[in-house]
């Protein structure tokens, strides 16, 4: 927090009679060194004192517990985990579960927010009012209420496993979650995957070429539909070449629950729905504010250049609105990530539930565990911030 | 977020305070004028507020007995309701003087959590609660079941061990509080609700259709529910331990809250020592001579507390079983007062 002088350097004054303490820069430096030293000393004293007190009270300390066997089960693991895995592994599982909810929640909240935000500016009275009601209702109810509503109210209405709602006998919905068939890739599937990778590369190249051509000649190319055709078509051809080595594993009712297929936990579903709907309300307002911030003259200018309304929205209004929207959007993304910790109330195995909850209680090492948990959220939030700031610089108005 | 606050409080106390373990808890309690007792957030039979907001139950009675021994007044107790996750942190940080909250005595808790378990107030074991309509007769038929449990408990570990060692598939759904766990079980999220068996009896009373649920016969673990105090204060440890043993000895000698006045004149030397007519046994642990007479007059002996809270005189109707006196085939054994 140094205040730097832009004027002539103080050394320019030759009077040796004045004390060195009259030099503002010197005083500033000394003050800063003193502050840093005091903070470091305090921190050191706190850590030393904490260690001393913990050993006096015979409470275990240190991070060795991360290698000990956890002994508890978790019902959603993105990486292999079982009861004989370590606490460190459980931490990793919990972080991934938090990230999964955050990423899926952010995607849905953004889509929902954009639709509703644009809807609030619609010329259609009905659409406008529906979107306004949505925003006012979701924004003004506590998030915990949203989560409990989606978990308890919706879950209670779902049937038991034996009376599941079934869609074509393939998808099953009950109070244990949503079960969908899983595609099992057999021998030779790599041909299909390679075809998909080629398709992705083609789409990127096509996009670059089309943009360059448009900027040079003004001619449009149907990039979107061509990309869809490439992404679907090439893998299809790839799999067809090796004779479709794909099988569908359908969930089957066996004992109490369905076995096979993929499963979406009801806790996960409730959390994602609640977080998306709640944050979507805020994002909608940010989107509306962003679009409103672009002067009407911009769309009029676009129209006078002959751009159709939806092209003028996409190429003229949205890019300028983005610049206003990104900073508050970043805050919402960070909020959503941190709010996922409320999952502890509905038993979704995320960071706070698994680590600051179960692990803390089994090991009793509160200081270390709370520190690690805070560190995890800090890192996740800072990385999100960094990414959004980078994106912000990219979309920022380049003034010539 | 109370847990976080408690943890931070512990952090702060560990970081700033200088060795809380050195101070004598008895002196602090006397100075405050009341005992701070950590209990559950509401478990019928053990620690539960009644219709007037008064805390009652077997765990509560132990705290009241300690208060009776110190102040001759069982009402000089303040209760801190704690979730399973918060309890040990609350004791470590000095938020409570005594933890009487249906907590299982295990080696690792004893060794690494900075606490000492004094004595087992109730011998329990982990059981399973299921719906009658499932038609399950034994826990071995639970392959593939979803199990609701409270997080941060020995229950969570035992259930993992049980299913793993019997090669059964299961899914565990762990909730922060007892209420949330029960609600999830009630809404059909799980086939099985698992906890200490005494808790299952107590919580079944809270279910709307309580006759539709059955407790399976298997006990899958040993759960000695014990009282705990902070490590490093031997005097306080002795007091809490002997209050429990005193109540056992009183029951064994036939001293009840009804007859304790007459018993003061008993010629039996055992009873004379217990009630302070002979010797100074209470003073040896830092209390008064009549410590046990105060406890039995105001709270009753162990058997009275048991019957009133969880036994025949309560809605739970739990048999004495392992919690009977050693002389009646149980495990409750009070070392002699002499």
């Amino acid at each position: 927090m140094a205040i730097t002088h832009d004027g002539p350097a103080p050394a320019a004054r030759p009077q040796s009679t004045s004390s060195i303490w009259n030099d503002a820069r010197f005083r500033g430096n000394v003050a800063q060194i003193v502050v840093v030293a005091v903070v470091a000393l305090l921190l050191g004293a706190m850590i030393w004192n904490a260690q001393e007190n913990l050993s006096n009270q015979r409470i275990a300390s240190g991070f060795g517990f991360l290698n000990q066997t956890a002994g508890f089960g978790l019902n959603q693991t993105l990486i292999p985990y079982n009861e004989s895995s370590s606490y460190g592994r459980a931490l990793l599982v919990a972080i991934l579960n938090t990230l999964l909810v955050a990423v899926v929640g952010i995607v849905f909240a953004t889509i929902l927010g954009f639709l509703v935000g644009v809807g609030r500016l619609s010329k259609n009275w009905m659409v406008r009012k529906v979107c306004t009601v949505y925003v006012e209702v979701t924004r003004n109810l506590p998030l915990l209420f949203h989560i409990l509503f989606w978990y308890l109210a919706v879950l209670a209405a779902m049937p038991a496993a034996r009376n599941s709602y079934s869609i074509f006998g393939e998808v099953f919905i009950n109070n244990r979650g949503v079960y969908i068939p899983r595609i099992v890739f057999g021998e030779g599937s790599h041909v299909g995957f390679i075809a998909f990778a080629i398709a992705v590369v083609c789409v990127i190249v096509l996009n670059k070429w089309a943009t360059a051509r448009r900027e040079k000649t003004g001619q449009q190319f149907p990039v979107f539909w061509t990309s869809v055709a490439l992404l679907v078509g090439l893998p299809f051809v790839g799999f067809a070449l090796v004779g479709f080595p794909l099988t569908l594993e359908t969930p089957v009712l066996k004992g109490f629950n369905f076995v096979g297929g993929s499963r979406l936990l009801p806790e996960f579903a409730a959390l994602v729905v609640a977080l998306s709907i709640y944050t979507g309300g805020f994002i909608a307002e940010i989107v509306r504010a962003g679009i409103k911030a672009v002067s009407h003259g911009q769309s009029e200018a676009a129209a006078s250049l002959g751009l159709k309304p939806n092209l003028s929205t996409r190429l003229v209004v949205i890019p300028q609105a983005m610049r206003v929207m990104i900073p508050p959007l970043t805050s919402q993304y960070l909020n959503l990530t941190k709010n996922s910790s409320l999952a502890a109330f509905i038993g979704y195995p995320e960071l706070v539930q698994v680590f600051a909850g179960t692990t803390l209680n089994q090991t009793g090492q509160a200081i270390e565990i709370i520190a690690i948990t805070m560190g995890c959220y800090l890192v996740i939030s800072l990385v999100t911030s960094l990414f959004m700031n980078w994106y912000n610089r990219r979309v920022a108005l380049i003034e010539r | 977020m109370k847990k976080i606050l408690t943890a931070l409080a512990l952090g702060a106390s560990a970081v700033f305070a200088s060795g809380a373990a050195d101070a004598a808890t008895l002196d602090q309690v006397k100075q405050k004028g009341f005992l701070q007792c950590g209990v559950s957030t509401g478990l019928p039979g053990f620690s539960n507020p009644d219709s007037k907001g008064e805390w009652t139950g077997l765990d509560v009675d132990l705290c009241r007995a300690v208060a009776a021994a110190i102040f001759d007044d069982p009402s000089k107790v303040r209760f801190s309701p704690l979730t399973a996750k918060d309890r040990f942190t609350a004791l470590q940080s000095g938020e409570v003087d005594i933890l009487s909250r249906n907590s299982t005595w295990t080696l690792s808790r004893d060794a690494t959590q900075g606490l000492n378990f004094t004595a087992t107030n109730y011998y329990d074991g982990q059981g399973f609660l299921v719906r009658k309509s499932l038609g399950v007769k034994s826990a071995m038929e639970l392959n593939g079941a979803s199990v609701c449990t409270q997080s941060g408990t020995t229950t969570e570990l035992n259930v993992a061990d049980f299913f793993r060692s019997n090669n059964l598939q299961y899914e565990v759904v762990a909730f922060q509080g007892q209420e949330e766990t029960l609600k999830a079980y009630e809404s059909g999220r799980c086939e099985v609700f698992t906890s200490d068996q005494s808790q299952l009896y107590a919580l079944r009373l809270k279910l709307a259709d309580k006759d539709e649920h059955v407790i399976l016969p298997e006990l899958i673990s040993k759960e000695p529910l014990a009282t705990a105090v902070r490590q490093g204060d031997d005097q306080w440890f002795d007091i809490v331990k002997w209050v429990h043993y005193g109540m056992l000895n009183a029951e064994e000698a036939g001293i009840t809250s009804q007859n304790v006045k007459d018993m003061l004149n008993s010629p039996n030397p055992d009873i004379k020592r217990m009630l302070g007519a002979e010797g100074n046994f209470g003073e040896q642990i830092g209390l008064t001579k009549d410590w046990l007479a105060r406890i039995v007059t105001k709270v009753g002996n162990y058997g009275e507390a048991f019957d009133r809270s969880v036994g025949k005189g309560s809605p739970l109707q739990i048999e004495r079983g392992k919690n009977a006196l050693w002389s009646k085939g149980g495990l409750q054994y009070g070392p002699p007062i002499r």
Side-chain angles (χ1 to χ4, degrees):
Chain A
M1 265 139 279
I3 300 165
T4 46
H5 264 293
D6 280 322
R13 282 172 296 166
Q15 297 103 311
S16 56
T17 47
S18 76
S19 156
I20 193 159
W21 291 102
N22 288 341
D23 183 342
R25 185 181 290 175
F26 175 77
R27 279 204 314 269
N29 286 344
V30 169
Q32 288 191 39
I33 290 168
V34 169
V35 167
V36 168
V38 167
V39 168
L41 263 176
L42 259 176
L43 224 82
M46 278 160 76
I47 292 172
W48 178 80
N49 200 15
Q51 275 174 349
E52 195 73 357
N53 279 338
L54 287 179
S55 74
N56 276 349
Q57 295 179 33
R58 293 174 194 79
I59 299 171
S61 61
F63 292 92
F65 72 92
L66 287 172
N67 295 321
Q68 287 166 16
T69 306
F72 53 82
L74 294 172
N75 59 352
Q76 180 184 300
T77 56
L78 298 179
I79 51 172
Y81 170 91
N82 63 35
E83 289 81 355
S84 47
S85 304
S86 66
Y87 285 120
R89 188 89 181 166
L91 169 64
L92 214 56
V93 171
I95 291 175
L96 288 174
N97 284 345
T98 291
L99 286 177
L100 182 70
V101 159
V103 170
V104 176
I106 284 175
V107 169
F108 281 123
T110 308
I111 295 173
L112 198 63
F114 266 82
L115 290 179
V116 175
V118 172
R120 284 202 71 179
L121 297 170
S122 164
K123 291 196 177 68
N124 183 322
W125 183 86
M126 192 69 198
V127 171
R128 213 164 57 227
K129 288 299 159 196
V130 166
C131 292
T132 306
V133 168
Y134 164 83
V135 167
E136 293 309 332
V137 169
T138 52
R139 275 202 318 175
N140 292 314
L141 290 174
L143 176 56
L144 187 56
F145 172 84
H146 279 275
I147 294 178
L148 291 177
F149 170 79
W150 286 103
Y151 188 58
L152 292 173
V154 176
L155 184 73
M158 289 294 157
R162 283 167 208 185
N163 312 315
S164 303
Y165 295 129
S166 142
I167 303 171
F168 306 124
E170 298 281 346
V171 176
F172 298 93
I173 303 172
N174 58 42
N175 58 15
R176 297 298 152 75
V178 180
Y179 294 80
I180 52 172
R182 186 174 54 196
I183 300 169
V184 182
F185 294 101
E187 195 80 4
S189 295
H190 62 276
V191 180
F193 292 128
I194 292 170
F196 181 74
I198 293 172
V200 171
V201 173
C202 286
V203 166
I204 294 170
V205 170
L206 177 78
N207 211 355
K208 285 228 154 119
W209 170 80
T211 311
R213 194 179 76 140
R214 194 189 64 220
E215 278 170 4
K216 219 164 125 195
T217 67
Q219 279 177 309
Q220 298 283 341
F221 187 82
V223 177
F224 180 76
W225 293 112
T226 329
S227 305
V228 170
L230 275 171
L231 287 175
V232 175
L234 272 183
F236 183 84
V237 172
F239 282 115
L241 279 178
V242 282
F244 290 108
L246 310 174
T247 41
L248 215 54
E249 189 189 85
T250 313
V252 192
L253 185 62
K254 211 165 146 192
F256 299 111
N257 282 318
F258 282 86
V259 181
S262 295
R263 172 183 179 207
L264 210 59
L265 281 184
E267 289 81 22
F268 175 78
L271 196 60
V272 166
V273 170
L275 286 174
S276 310
I277 288 184
Y278 177 76
T279 315
F282 290 91
I283 293 181
E285 286 298 273
I286 293 171
V287 169
R288 188 170 71 111
I291 293 175
K292 280 274 186 191
V294 179
S295 115
H296 193 58
Q298 294 284 332
S299 8
E300 282 172 352
S304 69
L305 285 176
L307 286 177
K308 289 178 191 137
N310 68 0
L311 268 183
S312 103
T313 306
R314 196 156 62 86
L315 297 174
V316 177
V317 179
I318 297 280
Q320 297 189 71
M322 275 308 217
R323 163 171 77 89
V324 183
M325 279 152 46
I326 295 297
L329 212 52
T330 309
S331 307
Q332 289 305 324
Y333 289 172
L334 296 179
N335 275 346
L336 189 142
T337 310
K338 288 177 289 176
N339 285 342
S340 69
S341 60
L342 285 171
F345 285 91
I346 58 168
Y348 175 72
E350 48 71 66
L351 195 51
V352 169
Q353 161 83 358
V354 173
F355 201 64
T358 302
T359 306
L360 193 162
N361 204 264
Q362 303 296 2
T363 62
Q365 294 186 235
I367 294 180
E368 291 86 345
I369 285 179
I370 294 294
I372 293 176
T373 312
M374 290 201 292
C376 288
Y377 277 112
L378 200 63
V379 168
I380 295 174
S381 294
L382 287 179
V383 169
T384 315
S385 269
L386 277 178
F387 173 77
M388 292 302 283
N389 288 345
W390 166 81
Y391 187 65
N392 191 30
R393 275 198 301 278
R394 254 188 61 123
V395 299
L397 192 66
I398 301 159
E399 301 199 16
R400 278 179 261 247
Chain B
M1 296 295 94
K2 189 175 175 216
K3 150 188 53 72
I4 307 269
L5 287 182
T6 318
L8 285 180
L10 172 74
S13 84
V15 169
F16 297 112
S18 55
D22 303 330
T25 314
L26 178 64
D27 296 339
Q28 287 177 353
V29 168
K30 279 182 176 164
Q31 209 175 15
K32 280 189 296 189
F34 61 88
L35 176 77
Q36 194 76 44
C37 170
V39 291
S40 76
T41 50
L43 178 65
F46 289 86
S47 41
N48 200 33
D50 66 10
S51 53
K52 290 184 220 95
E54 291 281 311
W55 284 88
T56 58
L58 192 63
D59 285 342
V60 166
D61 281 348
L62 187 94
C63 285
R64 292 208 187 280
V66 174
I70 298 172
F71 301 111
D72 198 14
D73 182 356
S75 67
K76 288 197 171 161
V77 188
R78 293 195 189 164
F79 294 96
S80 303
L82 301 168
T83 66
K85 277 157 70 169
D86 295 336
R87 53 187 162 176
F88 300 122
T89 315
L91 182 65
Q92 290 166 355
S93 65
E95 208 178 289
V96 296
D97 302 313
I98 171 171
L99 185 71
S100 184
R101 191 212 168 278
N102 51 288
S103 302
T104 305
W105 185 346
T106 68
L107 185 144
S108 63
R109 284 177 176 174
D110 217 342
T112 65
Q113 304 238 21
L115 50 82
N116 272 335
F117 287 99
T118 56
T120 303
N121 206 19
Y122 185 95
Y123 287 97
D124 211 339
Q126 186 176 337
F128 295 115
L129 179 72
V130 297
R131 281 193 167 69
K132 270 185 187 158
S133 58
L134 281 185
V136 171
K137 292 276 173 293
S138 147
M140 302 305 283
E141 297 168 35
L142 290 175
N143 194 10
S146 296
V147 183
C148 279
T149 182
Q150 209 182 343
S151 65
T153 55
T154 47
T155 312
E156 202 181 354
L157 303 180
N158 292 331
V159 75
D161 285 353
F162 172 78
F163 281 93
R164 200 154 47 122
S165 58
N166 288 303
N167 269 325
L168 300 173
Q169 292 295 314
Y170 77 107
E171 176 208 19
V172 67
V173 194
F175 295 86
Q176 190 170 254
Q178 195 76 268
E179 289 292 322
E180 288 106 289
T181 320
L182 194 67
K183 212 173 275 166
Y185 167 74
E186 212 173 1
S187 72
R189 176 64 183 88
C190 303
E191 275 85 24
V192 186
F193 178 90
T194 184
S195 193
D196 297 342
Q197 208 175 40
S198 61
Q199 291 192 29
L200 296 181
Y201 280 105
L203 292 172
R204 187 166 62 165
L205 297 177
K206 287 190 177 180
L207 293 172
D209 49 349
K210 54 177 181 279
D211 299 326
E212 293 305 308
H213 302 266
V214 55
I215 292 161
L216 297 180
E218 283 96 342
L219 281 185
I220 64 164
S221 67
K222 293 189 284 190
E223 307 286 339
L225 305 183
T227 315
V229 293
R230 269 185 299 284
Q231 261 185 23
D233 186 349
D234 288 351
Q235 182 196 34
W236 186 244
F237 175 70
D238 282 345
I239 290 174
V240 176
K241 181 168 63 178
W242 278 98
V243 164
H244 176 70
Y245 289 149
M247 289 170 81
L248 288 179
N249 276 313
E251 186 188 2
E252 199 178 337
I255 311 172
T256 67
S257 54
Q258 308 300 318
N259 69 8
V260 60
K261 289 268 170 332
D262 310 328
M263 283 291 194
L264 282 169
N265 307 318
S266 161
N268 182 331
D270 246 356
I271 294 175
K272 276 188 153 172
R273 279 195 294 271
M274 280 186 216
L275 298 182
E278 218 177 87
N280 65 339
F281 296 97
E283 286 167 359
Q284 291 177 15
I285 52 171
L287 297 171
T288 53
K289 269 186 187 176
D290 64 341
W291 66 290
L292 191 51
R294 288 176 172 188
I295 295 173
V296 179
T297 314
K298 300 283 162 58
V299 183
N301 64 35
Y302 180 78
E304 286 178 287
F306 189 98
D307 285 344
R308 179 170 68 220
S309 307
V310 295
K312 290 194 285 291
S314 77
L316 270 71
Q317 298 287 325
I318 299 177
E319 299 285 321
R320 278 301 280 274
K322 289 190 180 64
N323 291 294
L325 291 177
W326 66 285
S327 50
K328 295 192 177 132
L331 293 171
Q332 291 291 4
Y333 185 105
I337 294 175
R338 67 179 313 139

